[in-house]
Amino acid sequence: MSERPVAVITGASSGIGAATAVALHKAGYQVILGARRTDKLAEVAASLENAMYYELDVTDAVSVEAFCAQVPHVNVLVNNAGGAWGLETVANAIDEKWEWMYDVNVLGLMRMTRTLLPKLEASGAGHIINVGSIAGREPYVGGAGYNAVKFAVRAITQVMRLELVGKPIRITEVSPGMVETEFSLVRFDGDTERAGKVYQGLQPLVAEDIADCIEWVVTRPPHVNIDEIVVKPLAQASASVAARKL
């Protein structure tokens, strides 16, 4: 392992996670990437000198323990793994979808944070970035399951600030609005037409926009903690209001 500070990034095989790996590498970090799709991780890591990657399923406690055991020390943890599945109303809610969203967005974040906290504190200048969502601030029709888990992420982030005050660990939540990644493809079971309509008629954010925010917060002086950043495309006013040119 190099003498560079180390950043662990979950969900790093594509989208925001992959873009964050690139941004933090350029900012001087040794990056350790985790995700289920190791073939995609290999592609991301190939262009990043000394990048390391391991298979990681944050919904599996054994996988989390095995991944974290391969991280000898860490300065930054980016809890990016997450996602939405479905847009059903509560009346038509599907247990499997809600359970998966809770497991990956909430329990996955908890498992990674709990396991790496001792190493983050030992670094003397740790930083945890939780990738939330404006869905964790504004409910919308059909969003109950995803709203619930992202509201939970926001609550956990705030509790961590209370529990870790006085320790050398900064806590930040970055909450994006509409970002064109694989997010909508996952939400709509790979339906490319339906996913494309989410961003139709406007210019959404891209993964690099969120990675830029993450890079900025981690490169502030150690005594400066950016509590939260909410970032939306210019055309989006809220979780459910956007200007479209159709």
Side-chain angles (χ1 to χ4, degrees):
M1 190 74 70
S2 73
E3 294 303 314
R4 287 176 148 204
V6 175
V8 170
I9 305 163
T10 70
S13 58
S14 64
I16 293 171
T20 299
V22 174
L24 294 188
H25 179 267
K26 289 180 178 178
Y29 283 82
Q30 160 85 42
V31 294
I32 302 179
L33 315 179
R36 292 175 299 170
R37 300 180 296 179
T38 54
D39 57 332
K40 296 293 185 181
L41 284 178
E43 292 176 10
V44 175
S47 63
L48 308 177
E49 184 179 359
N50 296 322
M52 304 172 71
Y53 65 92
Y54 306 105
E55 184 176 2
L56 172 63
D57 181 352
V58 299
T59 71
D60 182 342
V62 174
S63 177
V64 169
E65 291 292 337
F67 176 89
C68 293
Q70 298 179 89
V71 179
H73 61 276
V74 60
N75 303 83
V76 173
L77 168 61
V78 182
N79 282 312
N80 169 69
W85 189 10
L87 200 61
E88 294 84 9
T89 63
V90 174
N92 296 303
I94 298 170
D95 288 15
E96 179 188 6
K97 293 183 177 182
W98 281 54
E99 289 164 0
W100 177 83
M101 286 189 284
Y102 191 81
D103 207 3
V104 68
N105 289 280
V106 180
L107 296 181
L109 181 154
M110 177 276 290
R111 293 182 186 108
M112 288 298 300
T113 303
R114 178 182 62 190
T115 308
L116 288 179
L117 262 176
K119 294 175 183 179
L120 286 160
E121 184 173 359
S123 76
H127 198 158
I128 300 169
I129 296 93
N130 294 331
V131 178
S133 169
I134 61 168
R137 308 172 69 89
E138 304 173 40
Y140 54 89
V141 174
Y146 189 58
N147 286 142
V149 298
K150 286 305 186 182
F151 267 86
V153 168
R154 191 175 182 211
I156 292 166
T157 304
Q158 293 175 354
V159 170
M160 286 166 57
R161 291 195 195 102
L162 298 173
E163 293 178 345
L164 298 175
V165 67
K167 295 184 181 295
I169 302 175
R170 296 185 287 175
I171 311 291
T172 300
E173 180 179 359
V174 176
S175 298
M178 298 172 71
V179 186
E180 189 167 11
T181 61
E182 294 180 354
F183 176 88
S184 291
L185 277 175
V186 174
R187 167 167 257 177
F188 299 129
D189 295 306
D191 186 334
T192 55
E193 183 178 356
R194 190 177 181 191
K197 288 181 179 178
V198 173
Y199 313 107
Q200 190 173 2
L202 57 76
Q203 182 178 353
L205 300 173
V206 294
E208 288 75 14
D209 295 321
I210 311 308
D212 183 54
C213 293
I214 294 171
E215 178 191 349
W216 183 75
V217 300
V218 302
T219 54
R220 297 310 87 207
H223 71 287
V224 177
N225 187 88
I226 307 301
D227 276 7
E228 57 185 345
I229 292 180
V230 180
V231 53
K232 302 189 290 283
L234 179 61
Q236 184 179 21
S238 72
S240 55
V241 176
R244 299 178 186 270
K245 298 176 181 179
L246 300 176

